[in-house]
Amino acid sequence: MPYALTDQLGAALVKLRQTPLDDSVAERAATAFLDTIGVMIAGRSEPAVTLLASSLEATGANLDDCGNAALLSGTAAHALDFDDVAFGGHISAVLVPAIMTIAARRDVTERDVVTAYVAGYEAWAELATREKTMYHARGLHPTGLLGAVAAAAAAGTLMSLSPEQMAQALSIGASQAGGLMSNFGSMTKPFHAGRAAQSGVLAAFLAARGFTASIDTLESPKGFLAAYSPNGVFDVERKLNLESQGPMLAVTGSSIKRYPVCYAGHRAIDALLDLVERFAIDAQLIEHVEITLSDRHSSTLRYREPASVAEARFSLEFFAGAALSGGWVGLNELSAPVLCDPVVRTVMSKVKRVISNDLDPTADGYAVFDLATVTLRDGRVLESRPVIRAKGHASNPLSPQDARKKFEDCLQSVGRGEIAGSLFEAISGLSDRQDRPVPSLLRREFRQNEPLL
């Protein structure tokens, strides 16, 4: 018989509530809250969010109920594709909204919300590390799949579910999982994150009231791991990560994005910017551009001639055009004027993708490195340094100054720069994991019916 994963994970997550957290774990959780809330605020005015809100209202839904608030906040957190990544998906865009929509409506402490994040991260990592090949290889979006289960774990932790209830919540969340990569470059991709957050919240509330589900849903031959791994390449025999090495957030944190685009392109952008910084390239003198990357990442960056900003977030050609002509790929560059700029478009037309079959044995789907080469009209060939881990990767983290600048830039981009400092400090305080109430300034960001400061 396979290991009783659903039952054992539920019990371990409940036990985690009484486990002291290391400083590094709390700091990584606080960083995730900072990054996610910044990009969520910046993403609220995106069409994916405003159209979702108006559609909910058209059905008569209350936007401020816990589930719909999680749906909207999760969608906003992922709308710009600027949120962090870990274990193959956008982990914090799901967990932070699921946690904070409950925290904004209940008497919980800073310690409670940090512990809930650690629990959700653990559930996500537990499933991801049992899967031998990333879900992307089969056209599945891990954010929608793993996120529904992880959000159930986080919400259930915040709601103090019993071990039996937690196992039920995980199972209910697993039956709501979904997300297809074919929707990358559309409004439905961020909807995956919002829906996962909403599903996890609903799962926890259902379990708390006695709603039933199978207690072997994760490991069953007809369950979650088997259903999403049609070739059967997954592990249901080993014991929990928590039992062998403690919280996975202590092992590795999430990777913070420097650029508001698909993470599959971040190493290539680093390579392109390396060329810009070292050689002061005049984009109008470029003869052609070659970018070396894996086949998996090339297929993820599916738009060679993007027709919209949403598609441009998944276009290697656009990344090259923006980086080589303007020297950056940021919020200002992800705009219609830059996408239509004739210099950017000309550079885009000169990009050739070079597929590397030399794959990284430690990072599924990655080439050993990404590389950019620019040939100029005068015959000079400029080659970037190889990029193995993108800047902002968990093993190559952003500096605290860069993280703060990103947060401030996000708020300033939507005219809320005046609260950036006070909100940054309020969120940073979560790392202290004190038994004090979550600051009202932070709670307000997750209440639809209260004026935002």
Side-chain angles (χ1 to χ4, degrees):
M1 292 181 61
Y3 180 71
L5 176 59
T6 312
D7 183 61
Q8 293 299 310
L9 181 57
L13 292 173
V14 170
K15 186 178 179 180
L16 187 62
R17 295 203 296 260
Q18 283 75 50
T19 303
L21 300 176
D22 292 341
D23 289 346
S24 64
V25 172
E27 289 168 3
R28 284 173 171 171
T31 296
F33 275 84
L34 274 169
D35 190 69
T36 304
I37 292 169
V39 299
M40 179 194 75
I41 291 172
R44 279 191 181 132
S45 59
E46 289 294 299
V49 183
T50 58
L51 290 174
L52 175 57
S54 64
S55 298
L56 290 171
E57 288 178 322
T59 69
N62 174 9
L63 300 189
D64 196 48
D65 77 36
C66 207
N68 285 331
L71 171 60
L72 288 165
S73 293
T75 302
H78 194 37
L80 296 173
D81 226 307
F82 208 5
D83 48 304
D84 70 10
V85 293
F87 296 102
H90 297 272
I91 195 163
S92 299
V94 177
L95 295 183
V96 172
I99 293 165
M100 288 307 305
T101 53
I102 297 173
R105 294 157 178 82
R106 293 191 170 208
D107 293 328
V108 298
T109 68
E110 293 180 348
R111 186 192 304 273
D112 293 333
V113 300
V114 170
T115 303
Y117 182 86
V118 176
Y121 197 96
E122 191 66 31
W124 186 307
E126 186 63 56
L127 294 177
T129 55
R130 290 176 185 271
E131 172 60 46
K132 300 301 183 183
T133 304
M134 284 182 68
Y135 293 103
H136 296 87
R138 297 183 295 282
L140 300 170
H141 189 196
T143 300
L145 297 179
L146 304 178
V149 182
T157 298
L158 204 58
M159 295 169 63
S160 298
L161 297 187
S162 69
E164 295 76 17
Q165 291 171 328
M166 182 66 85
Q168 298 285 327
L170 297 174
S171 184
I172 297 167
S175 279
Q176 299 178 81
L180 300 173
M181 286 180 64
S182 59
N183 278 308
F184 281 20
S186 75
M187 297 179 198
T188 299
K189 184 174 188 275
F191 179 71
H192 292 166
R195 193 63 155 173
Q198 181 191 47
S199 296
V201 168
L202 178 59
F205 274 92
L206 287 170
R209 283 154 181 77
F211 202 90
T212 64
S214 299
I215 60 169
D216 64 348
T217 291
L218 300 179
E219 71 273 18
S220 166
K222 300 292 185 181
F224 183 93
L225 288 170
Y228 293 114
S229 299
N231 296 322
V233 188
F234 57 92
D235 184 353
V236 291
E237 301 299 331
R238 68 165 174 80
K239 293 186 177 181
L240 300 176
N241 290 321
L242 269 172
E243 296 178 351
S244 61
Q245 55 191 339
M248 289 299 289
L249 191 56
V251 177
T252 182
S254 56
S255 298
I256 306 299
K257 287 187 171 186
R258 292 183 84 206
Y259 320 113
V261 301
C262 178
Y263 199 62
H266 278 229
R267 298 201 307 179
I269 296 173
D270 281 351
L272 290 159
L273 293 179
D274 175 56
L275 288 175
V276 171
E277 292 165 6
R278 290 166 56 206
F279 300 108
I281 297 170
D282 182 344
Q284 299 188 65
L285 299 180
I286 293 174
E287 186 66 29
H288 63 263
V289 181
E290 290 188 352
I291 301 175
T292 301
L293 73 170
S294 71
D295 182 62
R296 177 87 59 79
H297 285 177
S298 179
S299 63
T300 300
L301 303 173
R302 58 190 300 215
Y303 297 100
R304 295 173 186 259
E305 297 181 2
S308 66
V309 171
E311 291 182 357
R313 297 185 193 280
F314 297 86
S315 173
L316 186 66
E317 287 71 19
F318 174 76
F319 305 162
L324 294 173
S325 65
W328 191 244
V329 182
L331 290 173
N332 291 333
E333 285 68 37
L334 269 295
S335 64
V338 174
L339 178 58
C340 296
D341 183 272
V343 176
V344 172
R345 282 287 177 179
T346 298
V347 174
M348 289 172 61
S349 70
K350 297 179 178 181
V351 174
K352 176 184 178 182
R353 303 183 182 203
V354 178
I355 303 302
S356 172
N357 294 316
D358 190 7
L359 300 181
D360 189 329
T362 65
D364 184 45
Y366 283 76
V368 170
F369 58 81
D370 286 10
L371 189 75
T373 303
V374 170
T375 301
L376 301 177
R377 290 180 183 173
D378 62 10
R380 284 186 296 156
V381 178
L382 312 176
E383 185 174 276
S384 74
R385 300 179 181 94
V387 179
I388 298 172
R389 295 290 180 262
K391 294 178 181 177
H393 186 272
S395 65
N396 185 22
L398 295 184
S399 68
Q401 294 78 13
D402 284 343
R404 179 159 191 152
K405 185 177 186 305
K406 176 182 173 180
F407 183 85
E408 292 172 347
D409 287 348
C410 282
L411 268 65
Q412 289 168 359
S413 72
V414 290
R416 300 193 64 205
E418 75 281 358
I419 70 157
S422 55
L423 186 58
F424 185 93
E425 296 304 324
I427 302 170
S428 297
L430 295 177
S431 64
D432 298 333
R433 55 207 185 282
Q434 296 293 314
D435 290 322
R436 60 193 178 203
V438 176
S440 58
L441 182 63
L442 176 53
R443 291 160 61 99
R444 286 192 190 100
E445 294 297 332
F446 293 87
R447 294 300 300 261
Q448 300 294 318
N449 63 354
E450 291 188 20
L452 301 178
L453 300 180

